Amino acid sequence: DTGVSQNPRHKITKRGQNVTFRCDPISEHNRLYWYRQTLGQGPEFLTYFQNEAQLEKSRLLSDRFSAERPKGSFSTLEIQRTEQGDSAMYLCASSWTSEETQYFGPGTRLLVL
Amino acid sequence: QKEVEQNSGPLSVPEGAIASLNCTYSDRVSQSFFWYRQYSGKSPELIMSIYSNGDKEDGRFTAQLNKASQYVSLLIRDSQPSDSATYLCAVNTYGQNFVFGPGTRLSVLP
């Protein structure tokens, strides 16, 4: 399978715990994006990488969120001290350039109890 | 604040009819436009991209772009129940990120 993969697919955690999600993009894609999506809304941009460099973070992203893309390959998104409002689908996408189609992974559904 | 607007729906059409989905955007210099389909509980999948004014056809799908009016639409001909999903419009400006609309829920009634 040469598409975007994400792990885990589902995560249930208690409020205050830390969680980490992983995304493996399409191998030749330079750009990697993280989005959050809640019910009835479109994907909301969180951050993106050009190779290993994190070029932009949404102003909506609190300090509890951090993302890395070591060596420009896979990426991780960590949420510290989770809150119930963090419950959402976290989507990863990758593309060759900023203008071209973004291909999405299956997402990680997070539920914070 | 760049915005992309869509009617949330639901838009209901009978099987075999044409479904028309609309999207407007606020950033006049936007250059790339995309339609994604998202089934409930799944991630978005690309239907079509369009970059130039006019129509672009792919099978039963036609995307229409009018940059002067800041408007992009998607027509689905011969709608099938399997087309029932949420359709997301995404707009991109060079060097910046995609902005997604809230999506339009389409229901194709057998």
Side-chain angles (χ1 to χ4, degrees), chain B residues 7-19:
Chain B
N7 290 328
S8 60
L11 171 66
S12 295
V13 300
E15 184 175 356
I18 295 175

Side-chain angles (χ1 to χ4, degrees), chain B residues 52-84:
Chain B
S52 303
N53 280 328
D55 295 357
K56 180 181 178 182
E57 186 174 323
D58 184 0
R60 296 186 295 112
F61 299 95
T62 299
Q64 299 174 318
L65 175 61
N66 184 327
K67 290 186 179 180
S69 300
Q70 295 175 233
Y71 174 91
V72 58
S73 67
L74 180 71
L75 300 178
I76 307 174
R77 290 181 299 282
D78 189 24
S79 296
Q80 301 297 309
S82 59
D83 294 326
S84 298

Side-chain angles (χ1 to χ4, degrees), chain A residues 9 31 33 35 37 40-43 45 48 56 59 89 91 98-107 109, chain B residues 1 31-32 34 36 38 41-46 49 51 88 92-98 100-103:
Chain A
R9 297 290 303 277
R31 289 205 166 206
Y33 304 81
Y35 293 89
Q37 188 177 26
Q41 301 298 316
F45 169 76
Y48 84 91
E56 187 175 346
R59 287 170 292 177
M89 172 81 90
L91 294 165
S98 63
E99 294 75 49
E100 294 190 10
T101 301
Q102 293 185 14
Y103 293 92
F104 284 85
R109 187 172 295 281
Chain B
Q1 177 76 2
Q31 298 174 302
S32 311
F34 304 83
Y36 286 83
Q38 187 173 28
K42 303 296 185 182
S43 62
E45 55 180 338
L46 178 75
S49 60
Y51 300 87
L88 298 165
N92 174 254
T93 304
Y94 178 76
Q96 299 182 29
N97 296 301
F98 281 31
F100 282 85

Side-chain angles (χ1 to χ4, degrees), chain A residues 20-70:
Chain A
T20 300
F21 309 142
R22 175 176 170 133
C23 171
D24 288 87
I26 294 171
S27 59
E28 62 268 26
H29 283 179
N30 294 325
R31 289 205 166 206
L32 186 149
Y33 304 81
W34 285 100
Y35 293 89
R36 176 172 60 193
Q37 188 177 26
T38 54
L39 197 62
Q41 301 298 316
E44 173 191 28
F45 169 76
L46 295 179
T47 188
Y48 84 91
F49 294 83
Q50 171 81 25
N51 298 314
E52 67 274 11
Q54 187 175 17
L55 297 186
E56 187 175 346
K57 289 175 62 173
S58 168
R59 287 170 292 177
L60 302 175
L61 205 61
S62 80
D63 291 342
R64 297 184 297 106
F65 288 71
S66 62
E68 294 181 340
R69 192 184 182 194

